[in-house]
Every structure is written in C-alpha cells, then in structure tokens.
Amino acid sequence: MQFEQITIVGVGLIGGSIGLAAKERALAGRIVGVGRDASNLVCARELGAIDSFTTNLAESVRSASLVVVCTPVDRIADIVLEAARHCRPGTILTDAGSTKREIVRVVHNEIVEDVFFVGSHPLAGSEKTGVEYARADMFRDRVTVVTPSSQTDKSACDKVVEFWKTLQSIVSILSPEEHDAAVAMTSHLPHALASAVAGCTPRAYLNLTAGGFRDVTRIAAGDPGLWVAIFLANREYVLSALDRFSNRLDEFKRLLAAGDSAGLMRWLAEGKQVRDAVGS
Amino acid sequence: MQFEQITIVGVGLIGGSIGLAAKERALAGRIVGVGRDASNLVCARELGAIDSFTTNLAESVRSASLVVVCTPVDRIADIVLEAARHCRPGTILTDAGSTKREIVRVVHNEIVEDVFFVGSHPLAGSEKTGVEYARADMFRDRVTVVTPSSQTDKSACDKVVEFWKTLQSIVSILSPEEHDAAVAMTSHLPHALASAVAGCTPRAYLNLTAGGFRDVTRIAAGDPGLWVAIFLANREYVLSALDRFSNRLDEFKRLLAAGDSAGLMRWLAEGKQVRDAVGS
C-alpha cells in the first residue's frame, strides 16, 4: 500500500480506470471519488472503481495522500489549485491531462505551500468516454509521461513515477514543453486529421467505406468538448504539427500530379517504415 | 454450383479469400489458381484456396467459366485482355481492382468477342498482403461494387452480382466513374493521409504514440507498390479528394489560430456525426 487515501477527481474513463487498477494492485487504503454528477459516482462505486464518493472537492481531499485530477484539460489547473488549499501538508497532487505546459506553469506559480504537484499524462484511453468503459488494465504496457519542471519537488516526482509504474505503466520523463511538442504530433494532429477526413466525406459515400476509412477516422468519434480544450491548450505546437503534415502531404500532391511513380513509391515506403516500427 | 471452373489470377490476400469463400459456398466445380510465383501457388493449394494451379495464363483459363483477376490494378486490363483471347465463348471475366474507370474503358474497347467482362471491387482486405492472411469470410457483410458501363453485357453483370452475393458480400452497382470518385474519398484519400502522418512523425516520438496514432496510421503499412498503382490509376479523383480535404483542414487551422472555441466545437461535432454514422 503506497497511499492511505487516493482521491480521484473526475471519475470517467481514465479516472475510473485508475481506481480499478489501484484497487487491483492494492495501492491505496481507500479510494474516494469526487465529481459534479452524483449518479456517475454511484455508477463508479458499483463498478468498484472507488470506495466512496462526495460531490464536495474540499471534503474529498482533506484526508488524501494522493489526489489525481482526471477532468478535461481546461479545468485541471483550477481544480488542482482549489484542491491544494484543502489538502494536508505533504499531499501529492497529479493529473492525467493531455497537455502539460500551461497546467504545470499555472499550478507551480500559484499553488499553496507544503503540497506538491507533479504533472502526468497516461497515453491511454479511447474514443469512448465514461466510467462504464473503465478497465483495470488501461495503463498496462502503455506509456505515461511524467513532466517535472525546475519547480517540481524531486521526491514527489519519484512517488508519482512509482504510482504509475504500480499501475503497470511504462513511465517516460519529459519536460512539459517536450511532452506538448511530442503529443501535438503523435496524438493531437492525428485527431484533427481523423476529424477532417470524416467531416469532408459526403454522406452518400458512407456505405462505400471499408476498414481503412474506419481505422483512420475512428478517433473522430471522440468527445468534441474534450478535444476543443486540448487543441486550445496546445495551440502553438498543434499549428506547427499541422504545418509539418501539410508539407508532407504537399509532397504527395506534387508527386501524384506529376505522375512520378518512383517518387510516390519512395514517399509511401517512408511512411510504411515508420508505421512498421510502431506495432499493431 | 454456379460455375464449373473458376480461375483466379493472382492468388494473394483477395484472390485466396475468393478461393476459400467459393469453396466454402460450393460455388465452383474446381478452382484453378494462376500466377507467376509457383511457391505461392503451392501455399495457396495447401491452404485450400485453390484445387490446382499453373503459371501459364492461357492454360489456366481455357476451361474456365469465370475468371477473376486479382492482380495489382496496373496489370488488370492487360491480363483480362490476354486471358480473354484463350477463353471459350461465353466465359465471364471480372476483377477485384481498387479502381475501375480505366480498366473498364480499356477492356471494353479491346476485348475479343464472345466473352464478357464486368468490373468489380470488393471493399475488403487489410494492410496485410499474401495468401497466408486469406479468409473465407473476407467478403461477408462487406460491400462489393460492380461497375457495368453502357458496353457491359447485362446477363454477365447479373452473374457477377450473383457471384459476389454468394460470397456473402453486399453488392452495390455504380458506374465506373461513380465508383472511382467515391473510393478516392473513402479509401485512397485516407491511405494518403495515413502515410503522410506516419511519414512526418519524428522517430524520436514513436514511443509516445498511443491507440489514436496506431489507428490513424495503420493502413500506411500497406504495400507501397500496390498503392502507387492505385493512386496513379485514380489520379484526378484523388487530387480532387485531397483538395476537398485540404479545405476542411484549413478551416480547422483558421479556427484554431483564432482560438474560436465554438467554431472548433462545431467543426469537431460535424466530424463526429459522420464517424458515428459508420460503425466501429
């Protein structure tokens, strides 16, 4: 048992999976869920993701040793700061947000003394949302990025790293900036493209789609609200990633317009090489 | 039994699956495979996809009632025309190529009399290639487009439709042009984008990819040679599809650069709506 009490703020797909995984690994004495929607919390308790719940943030963190904030990214910093004011000295707070730079900066600048914040981002989840899809093995063999800055407490960081490792995640340590630049390319860009393809496909053609279309567009089914917040929080890096992508696609257009068979072959082979390195 | 002998030219993923499905549905008295690589044909016979084989095209089609050409698209028209010269009168030829306009046009203009060609495209397959991945249920509940033109024999077309239906496919009838315009959007465009994303992702970021990246880029693992042929055969429609996509993505860039939260929400919701209509 690493923590006497873990409080999970926002018990949806990710928060619920943290609860299930933490219970499976006997990581906490008790797990408290907190959120605005009591019926969702009832459901989370029935699924075994949390032991008890409240809709009162202050109350939920008062006895917490670890607080994990799993809300949409645009609410994380405020919630961490608010929760921190009600924590005992020594409490560690972390999050599961898809962007890190703004969150880490704002929290480190404004957080009360005697508690510790460490930014995290488990690269897990799916286009589905809701605690009903939570799984105890959500983080197994998946990367979680932990993003200390120069202001992050070293010992708190170690404990957060240990926390994710106990959930069977592979931990990667990056600066908040390195993290945001990387996920702009590997996650936010693909999401925008998936949505762009889906959004420009005429309805009349939808019965002529096969596995390729379904794969490429799958994540476009994700929650628009969550993604607006992610894109806005990572705007500059996403715009750079879009430029990088557009340059690559322009190359394809030029080769195709010119009927350059050898050039197209090389271009496609480069993409295949990267894809083959990733695994199914 | 609808056909005394079916000859499959090119016994890979699709050709092999046709053989397996035809045998399972007792569609042919015998199934003959033909190709350039005898060792592949030995493998296909061992897997039960064909009854016998030859590397001689003329010989393979001499007693065929139905010939199905499953080679890369840039070789289909020539093979159909060559095979047709050795068929008995009344033989029906079809194909499984991803593009139809050029193939149907060239074949109808040049084919010998007394045999019948009907273009087909089963929307099935995957990023994998080779008869070892062939499956008897490859076409079940998948759409196959049959593309008669004004020059296509009506009764031969009916028989080809029946053939695909017996393989449990859902048949859609379109003109070659309608087909090519549609698959440019639903298949060729997604392939180019998947490859472009993979191709522009820095290697250093590959360990920071999750399910979204894997889904979006999966088809980029497809065979570059096959896809060069497809892109070149459908160049004009693919270029139009790319323009349509770029306009859609430019909208996203503008909304993001402007920080237009409501606009991004609407843009993402439109993509989600299309994706939700497709099914997993």
Short mmCIF file of all heavy atoms in Angstrom, two decimals, chain B residues 162-206:
data_model
loop_
_atom_site.label_atom_id
_atom_site.label_comp_id
_atom_site.label_asym_id
_atom_site.label_seq_id
_atom_site.Cartn_x
_atom_site.Cartn_y
_atom_site.Cartn_z
N GLU B 162 -24.39 -12.03 -58.74
CA GLU B 162 -24.77 -13.25 -58.02
C GLU B 162 -23.54 -13.91 -57.38
O GLU B 162 -23.60 -14.41 -56.24
CB GLU B 162 -25.43 -14.22 -59.02
CG GLU B 162 -26.41 -15.19 -58.42
CD GLU B 162 -27.36 -14.55 -57.42
OE1 GLU B 162 -27.86 -13.45 -57.71
OE2 GLU B 162 -27.55 -15.14 -56.32
N PHE B 163 -22.44 -13.90 -58.11
CA PHE B 163 -21.17 -14.47 -57.60
C PHE B 163 -20.78 -13.81 -56.28
O PHE B 163 -20.54 -14.47 -55.28
CB PHE B 163 -20.08 -14.27 -58.67
CG PHE B 163 -18.68 -14.51 -58.18
CD1 PHE B 163 -18.21 -15.79 -57.91
CD2 PHE B 163 -17.80 -13.43 -58.02
CE1 PHE B 163 -16.91 -16.00 -57.46
CE2 PHE B 163 -16.50 -13.64 -57.57
CZ PHE B 163 -16.05 -14.92 -57.29
N TRP B 164 -20.76 -12.49 -56.26
CA TRP B 164 -20.35 -11.79 -55.03
C TRP B 164 -21.36 -11.99 -53.91
O TRP B 164 -20.99 -12.10 -52.74
CB TRP B 164 -20.12 -10.30 -55.31
CG TRP B 164 -18.90 -10.04 -56.16
CD1 TRP B 164 -18.89 -9.59 -57.45
CD2 TRP B 164 -17.52 -10.23 -55.79
NE1 TRP B 164 -17.58 -9.48 -57.91
CE2 TRP B 164 -16.73 -9.87 -56.90
CE3 TRP B 164 -16.88 -10.67 -54.64
CZ2 TRP B 164 -15.34 -9.93 -56.91
CZ3 TRP B 164 -15.49 -10.73 -54.61
CH2 TRP B 164 -14.73 -10.37 -55.74
N LYS B 165 -22.62 -12.03 -54.29
CA LYS B 165 -23.64 -12.27 -53.26
C LYS B 165 -23.47 -13.64 -52.62
O LYS B 165 -23.66 -13.81 -51.41
CB LYS B 165 -25.05 -12.13 -53.86
CG LYS B 165 -25.46 -10.68 -54.08
CD LYS B 165 -26.94 -10.59 -54.45
CE LYS B 165 -27.35 -9.13 -54.63
NZ LYS B 165 -28.67 -9.01 -55.31
N THR B 166 -23.12 -14.62 -53.45
CA THR B 166 -22.91 -15.95 -52.90
C THR B 166 -21.72 -15.98 -51.95
O THR B 166 -21.69 -16.76 -50.99
CB THR B 166 -22.72 -16.98 -54.04
OG1 THR B 166 -23.82 -16.85 -54.94
CG2 THR B 166 -22.67 -18.40 -53.50
N LEU B 167 -20.76 -15.10 -52.18
CA LEU B 167 -19.63 -14.97 -51.24
C LEU B 167 -20.03 -14.12 -50.03
O LEU B 167 -19.18 -13.71 -49.25
CB LEU B 167 -18.41 -14.34 -51.93
CG LEU B 167 -17.83 -15.07 -53.15
CD1 LEU B 167 -16.48 -14.47 -53.53
CD2 LEU B 167 -17.68 -16.56 -52.90
N GLN B 168 -21.34 -13.83 -49.91
CA GLN B 168 -21.94 -13.13 -48.78
C GLN B 168 -21.66 -11.64 -48.74
O GLN B 168 -21.78 -10.98 -47.70
CB GLN B 168 -21.54 -13.79 -47.46
CG GLN B 168 -21.97 -15.27 -47.42
CD GLN B 168 -21.67 -15.89 -46.08
OE1 GLN B 168 -20.53 -16.26 -45.80
NE2 GLN B 168 -22.67 -15.97 -45.25
N SER B 169 -21.27 -11.12 -49.90
CA SER B 169 -21.00 -9.70 -49.99
C SER B 169 -22.29 -8.93 -50.26
O SER B 169 -23.25 -9.48 -50.79
CB SER B 169 -20.00 -9.48 -51.12
OG SER B 169 -19.36 -8.25 -51.00
N ILE B 170 -22.30 -7.66 -49.87
CA ILE B 170 -23.41 -6.76 -50.17
C ILE B 170 -23.04 -6.05 -51.46
O ILE B 170 -22.03 -5.34 -51.51
CB ILE B 170 -23.58 -5.72 -49.05
CG1 ILE B 170 -23.84 -6.41 -47.71
CG2 ILE B 170 -24.67 -4.72 -49.40
CD1 ILE B 170 -23.47 -5.55 -46.51
N VAL B 171 -23.81 -6.25 -52.52
CA VAL B 171 -23.41 -5.70 -53.82
C VAL B 171 -24.04 -4.33 -54.05
O VAL B 171 -25.22 -4.12 -53.80
CB VAL B 171 -23.80 -6.66 -54.97
CG1 VAL B 171 -23.51 -6.01 -56.32
CG2 VAL B 171 -23.02 -7.97 -54.82
N SER B 172 -23.20 -3.41 -54.49
CA SER B 172 -23.65 -2.07 -54.85
C SER B 172 -23.28 -1.86 -56.32
O SER B 172 -22.16 -2.16 -56.73
CB SER B 172 -22.93 -1.07 -53.94
OG SER B 172 -23.24 0.24 -54.29
N ILE B 173 -24.21 -1.37 -57.11
CA ILE B 173 -23.94 -1.17 -58.54
C ILE B 173 -23.74 0.31 -58.83
O ILE B 173 -24.60 1.13 -58.52
CB ILE B 173 -25.09 -1.75 -59.40
CG1 ILE B 173 -25.21 -3.25 -59.06
CG2 ILE B 173 -24.84 -1.51 -60.89
CD1 ILE B 173 -25.87 -4.10 -60.11
N LEU B 174 -22.59 0.63 -59.36
CA LEU B 174 -22.26 2.03 -59.68
C LEU B 174 -21.59 2.06 -61.05
O LEU B 174 -21.04 1.06 -61.51
CB LEU B 174 -21.25 2.58 -58.67
CG LEU B 174 -21.66 2.75 -57.21
CD1 LEU B 174 -20.46 3.22 -56.39
CD2 LEU B 174 -22.81 3.74 -57.09
N SER B 175 -21.61 3.21 -61.69
CA SER B 175 -20.82 3.36 -62.91
C SER B 175 -19.34 3.39 -62.50
O SER B 175 -19.01 3.72 -61.36
CB SER B 175 -21.18 4.66 -63.64
OG SER B 175 -20.64 5.76 -62.93
N PRO B 176 -18.44 3.05 -63.43
CA PRO B 176 -17.00 3.10 -63.10
C PRO B 176 -16.60 4.48 -62.56
O PRO B 176 -15.78 4.56 -61.64
CB PRO B 176 -16.33 2.79 -64.43
CG PRO B 176 -17.33 1.98 -65.19
CD PRO B 176 -18.67 2.52 -64.79
N GLU B 177 -17.17 5.54 -63.13
CA GLU B 177 -16.81 6.89 -62.69
C GLU B 177 -17.30 7.17 -61.28
O GLU B 177 -16.57 7.72 -60.45
CB GLU B 177 -17.39 7.94 -63.66
CG GLU B 177 -16.77 7.94 -65.06
CD GLU B 177 -17.22 6.74 -65.91
OE1 GLU B 177 -18.29 6.15 -65.61
OE2 GLU B 177 -16.48 6.38 -66.85
N GLU B 178 -18.55 6.80 -61.01
CA GLU B 178 -19.09 7.00 -59.65
C GLU B 178 -18.23 6.23 -58.64
O GLU B 178 -17.93 6.73 -57.56
CB GLU B 178 -20.53 6.48 -59.56
CG GLU B 178 -21.55 7.33 -60.28
CD GLU B 178 -22.93 6.62 -60.38
OE1 GLU B 178 -22.97 5.37 -60.50
OE2 GLU B 178 -23.94 7.33 -60.35
N HIS B 179 -17.88 5.01 -59.02
CA HIS B 179 -17.04 4.21 -58.12
C HIS B 179 -15.73 4.91 -57.82
O HIS B 179 -15.32 5.04 -56.66
CB HIS B 179 -16.76 2.84 -58.74
CG HIS B 179 -15.68 2.09 -58.03
ND1 HIS B 179 -14.34 2.25 -58.33
CD2 HIS B 179 -15.72 1.23 -56.98
CE1 HIS B 179 -13.61 1.51 -57.50
NE2 HIS B 179 -14.42 0.88 -56.68
N ASP B 180 -15.05 5.34 -58.85
CA ASP B 180 -13.70 5.91 -58.66
C ASP B 180 -13.75 7.21 -57.86
O ASP B 180 -12.86 7.47 -57.04
CB ASP B 180 -13.02 6.15 -60.01
CG ASP B 180 -12.47 4.84 -60.60
OD1 ASP B 180 -12.80 3.76 -60.05
OD2 ASP B 180 -11.73 4.90 -61.60
N ALA B 181 -14.79 8.01 -58.09
CA ALA B 181 -14.93 9.25 -57.33
C ALA B 181 -15.16 8.92 -55.85
O ALA B 181 -14.58 9.56 -54.96
CB ALA B 181 -16.09 10.08 -57.87
N ALA B 182 -15.99 7.94 -55.60
CA ALA B 182 -16.32 7.59 -54.21
C ALA B 182 -15.10 7.02 -53.48
O ALA B 182 -14.76 7.46 -52.38
CB ALA B 182 -17.48 6.59 -54.17
N VAL B 183 -14.42 6.03 -54.08
CA VAL B 183 -13.31 5.42 -53.35
C VAL B 183 -12.10 6.36 -53.24
O VAL B 183 -11.28 6.20 -52.34
CB VAL B 183 -12.89 4.04 -53.92
CG1 VAL B 183 -14.03 3.03 -53.77
CG2 VAL B 183 -12.41 4.15 -55.35
N ALA B 184 -12.02 7.35 -54.13
CA ALA B 184 -10.98 8.36 -53.95
C ALA B 184 -11.14 9.02 -52.58
O ALA B 184 -10.16 9.26 -51.87
CB ALA B 184 -11.06 9.42 -55.06
N MET B 185 -12.39 9.29 -52.20
CA MET B 185 -12.67 9.91 -50.89
C MET B 185 -12.58 8.90 -49.74
O MET B 185 -12.04 9.21 -48.69
CB MET B 185 -14.10 10.49 -50.87
CG MET B 185 -14.33 11.81 -51.57
SD MET B 185 -13.37 13.21 -50.89
CE MET B 185 -13.82 13.20 -49.16
N THR B 186 -13.16 7.73 -49.93
CA THR B 186 -13.35 6.82 -48.78
C THR B 186 -12.18 5.86 -48.57
O THR B 186 -12.08 5.25 -47.51
CB THR B 186 -14.62 5.97 -48.94
OG1 THR B 186 -14.48 5.16 -50.11
CG2 THR B 186 -15.85 6.85 -49.06
N SER B 187 -11.31 5.75 -49.56
CA SER B 187 -10.22 4.78 -49.42
C SER B 187 -8.86 5.37 -49.79
O SER B 187 -7.90 5.26 -49.03
CB SER B 187 -10.53 3.55 -50.29
OG SER B 187 -9.41 2.71 -50.41
N HIS B 188 -8.78 6.01 -50.97
CA HIS B 188 -7.46 6.47 -51.43
C HIS B 188 -6.98 7.68 -50.63
O HIS B 188 -5.82 7.76 -50.24
CB HIS B 188 -7.51 6.76 -52.93
CG HIS B 188 -8.07 5.60 -53.72
ND1 HIS B 188 -8.41 5.65 -55.03
CD2 HIS B 188 -8.36 4.32 -53.33
CE1 HIS B 188 -8.89 4.49 -55.43
NE2 HIS B 188 -8.88 3.66 -54.42
N LEU B 189 -7.89 8.62 -50.37
CA LEU B 189 -7.53 9.78 -49.53
C LEU B 189 -7.08 9.33 -48.13
O LEU B 189 -5.99 9.73 -47.69
CB LEU B 189 -8.71 10.76 -49.44
CG LEU B 189 -8.55 11.90 -48.44
CD1 LEU B 189 -7.48 12.89 -48.91
CD2 LEU B 189 -9.88 12.64 -48.21
N PRO B 190 -7.87 8.52 -47.42
CA PRO B 190 -7.40 8.07 -46.10
C PRO B 190 -6.04 7.40 -46.15
O PRO B 190 -5.22 7.57 -45.25
CB PRO B 190 -8.49 7.08 -45.65
CG PRO B 190 -9.73 7.54 -46.35
CD PRO B 190 -9.26 8.08 -47.68
N HIS B 191 -5.77 6.66 -47.21
CA HIS B 191 -4.47 6.00 -47.30
C HIS B 191 -3.34 7.02 -47.41
O HIS B 191 -2.31 6.91 -46.73
CB HIS B 191 -4.43 5.04 -48.48
CG HIS B 191 -3.26 4.11 -48.40
ND1 HIS B 191 -3.34 2.85 -47.86
CD2 HIS B 191 -1.96 4.28 -48.73
CE1 HIS B 191 -2.15 2.30 -47.86
NE2 HIS B 191 -1.29 3.13 -48.40
N ALA B 192 -3.54 8.02 -48.26
CA ALA B 192 -2.51 9.05 -48.42
C ALA B 192 -2.27 9.79 -47.10
O ALA B 192 -1.13 10.06 -46.72
CB ALA B 192 -2.93 10.05 -49.51
N LEU B 193 -3.36 10.07 -46.37
CA LEU B 193 -3.22 10.80 -45.12
C LEU B 193 -2.52 9.95 -44.06
O LEU B 193 -1.65 10.44 -43.33
CB LEU B 193 -4.59 11.21 -44.59
CG LEU B 193 -5.41 12.07 -45.56
CD1 LEU B 193 -6.76 12.37 -44.96
CD2 LEU B 193 -4.65 13.33 -45.91
N ALA B 194 -2.89 8.69 -43.99
CA ALA B 194 -2.25 7.79 -43.02
C ALA B 194 -0.75 7.75 -43.27
O ALA B 194 0.06 7.83 -42.34
CB ALA B 194 -2.85 6.39 -43.14
N SER B 195 -0.39 7.67 -44.54
CA SER B 195 1.03 7.61 -44.88
C SER B 195 1.72 8.95 -44.61
O SER B 195 2.87 8.99 -44.15
CB SER B 195 1.19 7.21 -46.35
OG SER B 195 2.55 7.03 -46.65
N ALA B 196 1.01 10.04 -44.87
CA ALA B 196 1.59 11.37 -44.63
C ALA B 196 1.85 11.58 -43.14
O ALA B 196 2.90 12.10 -42.75
CB ALA B 196 0.67 12.46 -45.17
N VAL B 197 0.90 11.20 -42.28
CA VAL B 197 1.11 11.35 -40.84
C VAL B 197 2.30 10.51 -40.40
O VAL B 197 3.20 11.00 -39.70
CB VAL B 197 -0.10 10.85 -40.00
CG1 VAL B 197 0.15 11.12 -38.53
CG2 VAL B 197 -1.36 11.53 -40.43
N ALA B 198 2.29 9.25 -40.80
CA ALA B 198 3.40 8.38 -40.39
C ALA B 198 4.72 8.96 -40.89
O ALA B 198 5.69 9.09 -40.13
CB ALA B 198 3.19 6.96 -40.95
N GLY B 199 4.73 9.38 -42.16
CA GLY B 199 5.96 9.84 -42.78
C GLY B 199 6.51 11.13 -42.19
O GLY B 199 7.70 11.42 -42.34
N CYS B 200 5.67 11.93 -41.53
CA CYS B 200 6.18 13.20 -40.98
C CYS B 200 6.40 13.13 -39.47
O CYS B 200 6.76 14.13 -38.86
CB CYS B 200 5.27 14.37 -41.36
SG CYS B 200 3.73 14.49 -40.45
N THR B 201 6.20 11.97 -38.88
CA THR B 201 6.38 11.85 -37.43
C THR B 201 7.84 11.56 -37.12
O THR B 201 8.40 10.57 -37.59
CB THR B 201 5.51 10.72 -36.86
OG1 THR B 201 4.16 10.96 -37.23
CG2 THR B 201 5.62 10.65 -35.34
N PRO B 202 8.49 12.43 -36.32
CA PRO B 202 9.89 12.18 -35.98
C PRO B 202 10.03 10.85 -35.24
O PRO B 202 9.22 10.53 -34.37
CB PRO B 202 10.23 13.35 -35.05
CG PRO B 202 9.22 14.42 -35.35
CD PRO B 202 7.98 13.69 -35.75
N ARG B 203 11.05 10.11 -35.61
CA ARG B 203 11.32 8.81 -34.98
C ARG B 203 11.37 8.88 -33.46
O ARG B 203 10.94 7.98 -32.76
CB ARG B 203 12.67 8.26 -35.48
CG ARG B 203 12.64 7.79 -36.92
CD ARG B 203 11.77 6.58 -37.05
NE ARG B 203 11.80 6.08 -38.41
CZ ARG B 203 11.95 4.80 -38.71
NH1 ARG B 203 12.11 3.90 -37.77
NH2 ARG B 203 11.92 4.41 -39.98
N ALA B 204 11.92 9.98 -32.97
CA ALA B 204 12.11 10.14 -31.52
C ALA B 204 10.77 10.14 -30.78
O ALA B 204 10.73 9.91 -29.58
CB ALA B 204 12.85 11.43 -31.22
N TYR B 205 9.68 10.41 -31.51
CA TYR B 205 8.37 10.49 -30.86
C TYR B 205 7.61 9.17 -30.88
O TYR B 205 6.52 9.08 -30.32
CB TYR B 205 7.50 11.55 -31.55
CG TYR B 205 7.95 12.98 -31.35
CD1 TYR B 205 7.39 14.00 -32.11
CD2 TYR B 205 8.90 13.34 -30.39
CE1 TYR B 205 7.77 15.32 -31.94
CE2 TYR B 205 9.29 14.65 -30.22
CZ TYR B 205 8.73 15.63 -30.99
OH TYR B 205 9.10 16.94 -30.83
N LEU B 206 8.15 8.18 -31.55
CA LEU B 206 7.35 6.98 -31.79
C LEU B 206 6.98 6.23 -30.52
O LEU B 206 5.98 5.54 -30.47
CB LEU B 206 8.05 6.04 -32.78
CG LEU B 206 8.13 6.56 -34.22
CD1 LEU B 206 8.66 5.48 -35.14
CD2 LEU B 206 6.77 7.05 -34.71
#
